[in-house]
Amino acid sequence: MAPVKVSASILSADFSHLLEDCQKAVDAGADMLHMDVMDGHFVPNISFGAPVIAGLKGKINVPFDAHLMITDPNKYIPDFAKAGSSYILFHEEVSGNATETIKLIRQNGCKPGMVINPGTSEETLKPYAKDLDYVLFMSVWPGFSGQSFIPDVVPKIAKFSKWASQEGLSLYIAVDGGISPKTAPLVVEAGANLLIAATAIFKAPDMKEAIHQLKTAGNKN
Ligand code: DX5
Ligand code: ZN
């Protein structure tokens, strides 16, 4: 099994010391920084946009994955590409034409990822999986950090990851929402290879230990 990677969601960072907090997470072992972009329409919260990501560009030596929780992702893909995102993640629920969105992300020099909400079937991802670098299973309803993990995501990940390996696909199978050292083993055993966490990293008493526990979540038995 390939080693599990961790992306630290900056939504729980201290925004008055954002660069320092991001560097702390990377020094503690985070492989990526997860940027939760919210527009107050697709989700009932507003977070930050491309300028915040651009402010970190070139100052932190890990890829950024921009999670666009916005109703019109196509309109803003060039901005998030320019801001320094390596991966651009859009929600299946708002993509009128996912093939077009995937193409647009690639044309802007980024790697595409498709996200599904807790209520969306993993079957939705399959027609696009070959063209994706990243699929993301939400294990909370998006909008806020600090919510409880929804366990219904586990069988969805298991079904998708089994299918993906039968198809010989190699892509990130990520999970986002309520991921902690307690819930991580459930999703890693189901086949997840990228864990996204905000609270469990930025609010941990020992960030290095927290990230270590997430990365070794599959080694328990
Ligand atoms: C939720 C966001 C998540 C969130 C995770 O809408 O997409 O990335 O920051 O927060 P935790 O890890 O606290 O559940
Ligand atoms: Zn997210």
Side-chain angles (χ1 to χ4, degrees), residues 9 11 34 36 38 67 69 138 142-146 176-178 197-199:
S9 164
L11 199 57
H34 182 82
D36 281 316
M38 304 180 185
H67 178 187
M69 288 164 272
M138 290 308 298
F144 302 90
S145 55
D176 185 13
T199 310

Side-chain angles (χ1 to χ4, degrees), residues 100-118:
E100 208 43 51
T101 303
I102 292 167
K103 204 167 127 198
L104 197 55
I105 293 170
R106 290 221 190 265
Q107 279 168 349
N108 279 274
C110 298
K111 293 176 177 168
M114 192 188 249
V115 191
I116 57 167
N117 272 340

